[in-house]
Amino acid sequence: MDITQTAEAPPPSPPRPPAEADGAQQRPVLRIGDRLFLGFSGGSGILLLVVMAAIAGFLTYRAVNAISQDHGNFLTTFEWNADSIPPVFGIAVLAFGTIVSAVIAMGIAVPISIGIALFITHYAHRRVASPLSYVVDLLAAVPSIVYGLWGALFLVPHMNGLDLWLDKYFGWTYIFNQSTPGSAARSLFTVSILLAIMIVPIVTNVSREVFRQVPRMHEEAALALGATRWEVIRLSVLPFARSGIISASMLGLGRALGETMAVATVLSSSSVLSLHLLDPQGGTFAQNIAAHFGEATDFGRDALIAGGLVLFVITLIVNGAARLIIARRKEYSGASA
């Protein structure tokens, strides 16, 4: 007799929810410290936006009050007589002086700063690089008024020879043609050199730290392929650090655009707009505010605030342009600021 035993299959187990099947989809539980840090960092970002909006709103409100009563063209008028009756003032000379002096200062300072940073990080011996780094850091901490006094008492008297040389050999360019040879060198060109000296430590410090972040493997690979020291810097270091260099330059440009006391101490301001950069004339927004704020009436202060609003907008445009340049080069953003 064949006895056939049939085993009953066990009932299927109910399917587990996806969240229970693998714990990867479960939301992590934030600890109290993480929650506090998240709230603090997010609140700090929001507070920064609120402060910027408050500054922009205050400047706009006071500026509109002044511009609406201006009897000149605010954008094209050369003179600044905000306290006269009727008030006549404009920013043509101030905008020209601010932009020209900052651009010249950047053209002088940025190449020198990159060279110093490369020398400290890739050429100098450690015994030389460390003291040189300390000196650069010390120069970045010098107050602006000290630079201004040094510029007025030392730089201006010693610029006469350079001005005469530029007028003699490059006067044909019209830019370096001095209308009154031998006059005091309280010009936009002298201000530009002083600003360049002031922003060199800032650009150098940031560029130096960026160069130190370049992966050592990139440099060693280039050397293994037979590249020279300069080829390593040109092909490995500078491309990687490009975004950081741009950020450092914009940081220096921000100081050059807004420098007040040093420029007010050195520059002999006037309401003349001329391309003769060696003549003692011109002005900047910051210098104009420092020169007129103490004796200005309420309306005069509103006019000065209108000039500050233009400087604020210029700074935002410059920084926005820098961020766009950096965003287009994300492949080298490892050392970006």
Side-chain angles (χ1 to χ4, degrees), residues 122-148:
H122 289 82
Y123 287 96
H125 191 271
R126 182 176 299 178
R127 295 180 179 179
V128 178
S130 296
L132 186 58
S133 299
Y134 296 150
V135 172
V136 174
D137 295 338
L138 180 62
L139 290 176
V142 175
S144 299
I145 187 62
V146 175
Y147 278 110

Side-chain angles (χ1 to χ4, degrees), residues 160-176:
N160 290 329
L162 178 60
D163 288 353
L164 292 175
W165 184 83
L166 291 173
D167 178 55
K168 180 179 180 180
Y169 293 101
F170 296 95
W172 55 271
T173 61
Y174 188 82
I175 294 177
F176 296 114

Side-chain angles (χ1 to χ4, degrees), residues 17-51:
E20 297 179 1
D22 55 336
Q25 297 183 1
Q26 294 182 356
R27 297 182 61 182
V29 179
L30 296 178
R31 293 177 295 181
I32 297 179
D34 295 332
R35 293 178 181 178
L36 292 177
F37 180 77
L38 179 62
F40 177 76
S41 57
S44 299
I46 296 174
L47 179 61
L48 177 61
L49 295 177
V50 171
V51 171

Side-chain angles (χ1 to χ4, degrees), residues 15 38 42 72 89 102 137 164 180 202 255 278 294:
L38 179 62
F89 58 92
D137 295 338
L164 292 175
T180 56
I202 299 174
R255 180 169 187 180
L278 301 182

Side-chain angles (χ1 to χ4, degrees), residues 48-302:
L48 177 61
L49 295 177
V50 171
V51 171
M52 292 292 294
I55 293 175
F58 169 78
L59 294 177
T60 303
Y61 174 76
R62 298 290 294 269
V64 169
N65 179 39
I67 296 175
S68 62
Q69 303 181 47
D70 185 11
H71 284 250
N73 191 307
F74 181 70
L75 299 178
T76 60
T77 301
F78 290 178
E79 59 181 314
W80 188 275
N81 294 319
D83 292 325
S84 62
I85 300 176
V88 179
F89 58 92
I91 62 169
V93 175
L94 305 179
F96 175 81
T98 300
I99 296 174
V100 168
S101 60
V103 169
I104 296 176
M106 292 292 295
I108 298 173
V110 172
I112 296 176
S113 301
I114 295 176
I116 296 174
L118 287 174
F119 176 76
I120 293 175
T121 56
H122 289 82
Y123 287 96
H125 191 271
R126 182 176 299 178
R127 295 180 179 179
V128 178
S130 296
L132 186 58
S133 299
Y134 296 150
V135 172
V136 174
D137 295 338
L138 180 62
L139 290 176
V142 175
S144 299
I145 187 62
V146 175
Y147 278 110
L149 293 175
W150 176 83
L153 299 178
F154 179 83
L155 183 61
V156 171
H158 289 79
M159 283 292 295
N160 290 329
L162 178 60
D163 288 353
L164 292 175
W165 184 83
L166 291 173
D167 178 55
K168 180 179 180 180
Y169 293 101
F170 296 95
W172 55 271
T173 61
Y174 188 82
I175 294 177
F176 296 114
N177 182 16
Q178 202 170 15
S179 302
T180 56
S183 58
R186 296 182 174 273
S187 60
L188 286 177
F189 185 71
T190 303
V191 168
S192 301
I193 294 178
L194 180 61
L195 291 176
I197 296 173
M198 296 178 64
I199 65 179
V200 160
I202 299 174
V203 182
T204 300
N205 285 339
V206 179
S207 300
R208 179 189 64 199
E209 298 303 321
V210 171
F211 292 152
R212 288 177 175 173
Q213 295 179 18
V214 177
R216 188 63 181 175
M217 295 179 59
H218 291 188
E219 302 181 33
E220 293 176 351
L223 290 173
L225 293 174
T228 62
R229 181 67 62 87
W230 164 242
E231 289 174 341
V232 170
I233 293 175
R234 182 170 60 88
L235 299 177
S236 299
V237 177
L238 293 180
F240 182 88
R242 185 178 289 114
S243 297
I245 294 173
I246 295 174
S247 299
S249 302
M250 292 305 104
L251 186 62
L253 180 59
R255 180 169 187 180
L257 290 173
E259 185 54 49
T260 303
M261 295 309 301
V263 177
T265 306
V266 172
L267 182 62
S268 179
S269 62
S270 68
S271 59
V272 177
L273 193 154
S274 175
L275 293 178
H276 297 293
L277 299 182
L278 301 182
D279 291 341
Q281 57 192 11
T284 65
F285 286 110
Q287 174 268 335
N288 184 63
I289 293 174
H292 294 90
F293 190 84
E295 300 177 355
T297 61
D298 292 339
F299 179 81
R301 293 177 182 176
D302 289 346

